[in-house]
Short mmCIF file of all heavy atoms in Angstrom, two decimals:
data_model
loop_
_atom_site.label_atom_id
_atom_site.label_comp_id
_atom_site.label_asym_id
_atom_site.label_seq_id
_atom_site.Cartn_x
_atom_site.Cartn_y
_atom_site.Cartn_z
N GLY R 26 15.41 3.20 -0.47
CA GLY R 26 14.49 4.34 -0.24
C GLY R 26 13.07 3.96 -0.43
O GLY R 26 12.22 4.93 -0.50
N CYS R 27 12.70 2.74 -0.48
CA CYS R 27 11.31 2.36 -0.58
C CYS R 27 10.96 1.32 0.45
O CYS R 27 11.65 0.30 0.61
CB CYS R 27 11.06 1.73 -1.99
SG CYS R 27 9.33 1.17 -2.25
N VAL R 28 9.93 1.69 1.21
CA VAL R 28 9.44 0.70 2.27
C VAL R 28 8.07 0.23 2.02
O VAL R 28 7.18 1.10 1.70
CB VAL R 28 9.61 1.32 3.70
CG1 VAL R 28 9.04 0.48 4.72
CG2 VAL R 28 10.99 1.74 4.03
N ALA R 29 7.82 -1.11 2.16
CA ALA R 29 6.43 -1.58 1.93
C ALA R 29 6.19 -2.54 3.07
O ALA R 29 7.01 -3.44 3.41
CB ALA R 29 6.36 -2.25 0.65
N TYR R 30 4.93 -2.45 3.69
CA TYR R 30 4.55 -3.40 4.72
C TYR R 30 3.06 -3.58 4.51
O TYR R 30 2.33 -2.88 3.86
CB TYR R 30 4.92 -2.84 6.10
CG TYR R 30 4.09 -1.67 6.59
CD1 TYR R 30 2.93 -1.81 7.25
CD2 TYR R 30 4.61 -0.39 6.30
CE1 TYR R 30 2.26 -0.69 7.69
CE2 TYR R 30 3.97 0.71 6.68
CZ TYR R 30 2.73 0.60 7.46
OH TYR R 30 2.06 1.72 7.83
N SER R 31 2.52 -4.62 5.16
CA SER R 31 1.08 -5.02 5.09
C SER R 31 0.54 -5.29 6.51
O SER R 31 1.25 -5.64 7.38
CB SER R 31 0.88 -6.15 4.09
OG SER R 31 1.49 -7.36 4.66
N ARG R 32 -0.68 -5.11 6.59
CA ARG R 32 -1.47 -5.48 7.73
C ARG R 32 -2.79 -6.15 7.14
O ARG R 32 -3.62 -5.38 6.73
CB ARG R 32 -1.73 -4.24 8.64
CG ARG R 32 -0.61 -3.79 9.36
CD ARG R 32 -0.99 -2.53 10.17
NE ARG R 32 0.05 -1.90 10.94
CZ ARG R 32 0.39 -2.21 12.20
NH1 ARG R 32 -0.35 -3.02 12.90
NH2 ARG R 32 1.46 -1.59 12.76
N ASP R 33 -2.89 -7.36 7.23
CA ASP R 33 -4.03 -8.11 6.63
C ASP R 33 -4.07 -7.67 5.18
O ASP R 33 -3.11 -7.77 4.46
CB ASP R 33 -5.33 -7.91 7.44
CG ASP R 33 -5.37 -8.65 8.67
OD1 ASP R 33 -4.47 -9.58 8.87
OD2 ASP R 33 -6.17 -8.29 9.60
N GLU R 34 -5.27 -7.19 4.75
CA GLU R 34 -5.42 -6.82 3.27
C GLU R 34 -4.99 -5.40 2.89
O GLU R 34 -5.09 -5.01 1.81
CB GLU R 34 -6.87 -7.02 2.82
CG GLU R 34 -7.82 -5.99 3.35
CD GLU R 34 -8.52 -6.42 4.64
OE1 GLU R 34 -8.03 -7.30 5.32
OE2 GLU R 34 -9.52 -5.68 5.06
N ILE R 35 -4.39 -4.74 3.87
CA ILE R 35 -3.93 -3.35 3.68
C ILE R 35 -2.36 -3.41 3.33
O ILE R 35 -1.64 -4.12 4.08
CB ILE R 35 -4.07 -2.49 4.88
CG1 ILE R 35 -5.62 -2.43 5.23
CG2 ILE R 35 -3.53 -1.07 4.71
CD1 ILE R 35 -6.51 -1.75 4.15
N THR R 36 -1.97 -2.66 2.34
CA THR R 36 -0.57 -2.52 1.98
C THR R 36 -0.18 -1.04 1.98
O THR R 36 -0.92 -0.26 1.37
CB THR R 36 -0.26 -3.12 0.62
OG1 THR R 36 -0.64 -4.50 0.66
CG2 THR R 36 1.26 -3.14 0.30
N VAL R 37 0.86 -0.70 2.64
CA VAL R 37 1.45 0.66 2.61
C VAL R 37 2.78 0.64 1.87
O VAL R 37 3.65 -0.17 2.22
CB VAL R 37 1.58 1.26 4.01
CG1 VAL R 37 2.16 2.65 4.01
CG2 VAL R 37 0.27 1.24 4.75
N ILE R 38 3.00 1.52 0.96
CA ILE R 38 4.31 1.72 0.17
C ILE R 38 4.66 3.10 0.28
O ILE R 38 3.90 4.04 -0.13
CB ILE R 38 4.12 1.21 -1.23
CG1 ILE R 38 3.52 -0.17 -1.32
CG2 ILE R 38 5.52 1.26 -1.90
CD1 ILE R 38 3.07 -0.59 -2.67
N SER R 39 5.83 3.37 0.76
CA SER R 39 6.43 4.79 0.76
C SER R 39 7.68 4.92 0.01
O SER R 39 8.56 4.00 0.08
CB SER R 39 6.80 5.06 2.31
OG SER R 39 5.61 5.16 3.05
N ASN R 40 7.71 5.88 -0.81
CA ASN R 40 8.80 6.19 -1.74
C ASN R 40 9.52 7.46 -1.21
O ASN R 40 9.02 8.56 -1.27
CB ASN R 40 8.37 6.36 -3.19
CG ASN R 40 9.38 6.83 -4.08
OD1 ASN R 40 10.58 6.66 -3.87
ND2 ASN R 40 9.01 7.52 -5.20
N SER R 41 10.85 7.28 -0.83
CA SER R 41 11.55 8.46 -0.29
C SER R 41 12.51 9.06 -1.37
O SER R 41 13.29 9.91 -1.12
CB SER R 41 12.27 8.17 0.94
OG SER R 41 13.38 7.22 0.71
N HIS R 42 12.44 8.54 -2.58
CA HIS R 42 13.23 9.00 -3.67
C HIS R 42 12.77 10.41 -4.18
O HIS R 42 11.63 10.77 -4.01
CB HIS R 42 13.23 8.03 -4.91
CG HIS R 42 13.85 6.74 -4.65
ND1 HIS R 42 15.26 6.59 -4.63
CD2 HIS R 42 13.30 5.53 -4.47
CE1 HIS R 42 15.51 5.32 -4.42
NE2 HIS R 42 14.34 4.65 -4.29
N ASN R 43 13.67 11.04 -4.79
CA ASN R 43 13.33 12.34 -5.40
C ASN R 43 12.72 12.16 -6.86
O ASN R 43 12.66 13.12 -7.59
CB ASN R 43 14.48 13.30 -5.45
CG ASN R 43 14.89 13.80 -4.14
OD1 ASN R 43 14.02 13.97 -3.27
ND2 ASN R 43 16.15 13.92 -3.84
N HIS R 44 12.43 10.97 -7.19
CA HIS R 44 11.82 10.67 -8.48
C HIS R 44 10.78 9.54 -8.31
O HIS R 44 10.72 8.85 -7.31
CB HIS R 44 12.81 10.17 -9.45
CG HIS R 44 13.62 8.97 -8.97
ND1 HIS R 44 13.27 7.67 -9.18
CD2 HIS R 44 14.88 8.85 -8.35
CE1 HIS R 44 14.13 6.91 -8.65
NE2 HIS R 44 15.09 7.59 -8.13
N ALA R 45 9.87 9.54 -9.31
CA ALA R 45 8.81 8.50 -9.16
C ALA R 45 9.38 7.09 -9.36
O ALA R 45 10.40 6.93 -9.98
CB ALA R 45 7.77 8.74 -10.27
N ILE R 46 8.68 6.14 -8.82
CA ILE R 46 9.12 4.73 -8.89
C ILE R 46 7.91 3.91 -9.42
O ILE R 46 6.73 4.26 -9.25
CB ILE R 46 9.71 4.14 -7.65
CG1 ILE R 46 8.69 4.10 -6.61
CG2 ILE R 46 10.98 4.88 -7.31
CD1 ILE R 46 9.03 3.24 -5.39
N ARG R 47 8.22 2.68 -9.93
CA ARG R 47 7.16 1.73 -10.14
C ARG R 47 7.52 0.47 -9.21
O ARG R 47 8.66 -0.04 -9.18
CB ARG R 47 7.19 1.21 -11.54
CG ARG R 47 6.14 0.05 -11.70
CD ARG R 47 5.77 -0.17 -13.13
NE ARG R 47 5.11 1.01 -13.72
CZ ARG R 47 3.79 1.28 -13.53
NH1 ARG R 47 2.98 0.57 -12.81
NH2 ARG R 47 3.23 2.33 -14.19
N TYR R 48 6.60 0.17 -8.29
CA TYR R 48 6.72 -0.89 -7.32
C TYR R 48 5.98 -2.14 -7.72
O TYR R 48 4.69 -1.97 -8.02
CB TYR R 48 6.37 -0.42 -5.94
CG TYR R 48 6.51 -1.46 -4.86
CD1 TYR R 48 7.70 -1.54 -4.18
CD2 TYR R 48 5.58 -2.39 -4.51
CE1 TYR R 48 7.97 -2.49 -3.25
CE2 TYR R 48 5.72 -3.30 -3.52
CZ TYR R 48 6.99 -3.37 -2.90
OH TYR R 48 7.22 -4.41 -1.95
N TYR R 49 6.57 -3.19 -7.88
CA TYR R 49 5.87 -4.50 -8.27
C TYR R 49 5.36 -5.19 -7.08
O TYR R 49 6.20 -5.56 -6.14
CB TYR R 49 6.78 -5.38 -9.16
CG TYR R 49 6.97 -4.73 -10.49
CD1 TYR R 49 7.97 -3.81 -10.77
CD2 TYR R 49 6.04 -4.99 -11.57
CE1 TYR R 49 8.11 -3.15 -11.97
CE2 TYR R 49 6.18 -4.39 -12.80
CZ TYR R 49 7.24 -3.48 -12.97
OH TYR R 49 7.34 -2.82 -14.17
N LEU R 50 4.08 -5.39 -7.04
CA LEU R 50 3.42 -6.06 -5.80
C LEU R 50 3.70 -7.53 -5.75
O LEU R 50 3.76 -8.20 -6.77
CB LEU R 50 1.94 -5.84 -5.95
CG LEU R 50 1.42 -4.47 -5.92
CD1 LEU R 50 -0.02 -4.41 -6.26
CD2 LEU R 50 1.73 -3.86 -4.50
#
Side-chain angles (χ1 to χ4, degrees):
C27 179
V28 174
Y30 68 92
S31 66
R32 290 179 180 262
D33 289 340
E34 73 269 12
I35 301 297
T36 304
V37 178
I38 307 167
S39 294
N40 172 24
S41 66
H42 291 286
N43 290 326
H44 56 83
I46 63 166
R47 177 159 297 279
Y48 182 87
Y49 289 88
L50 298 167

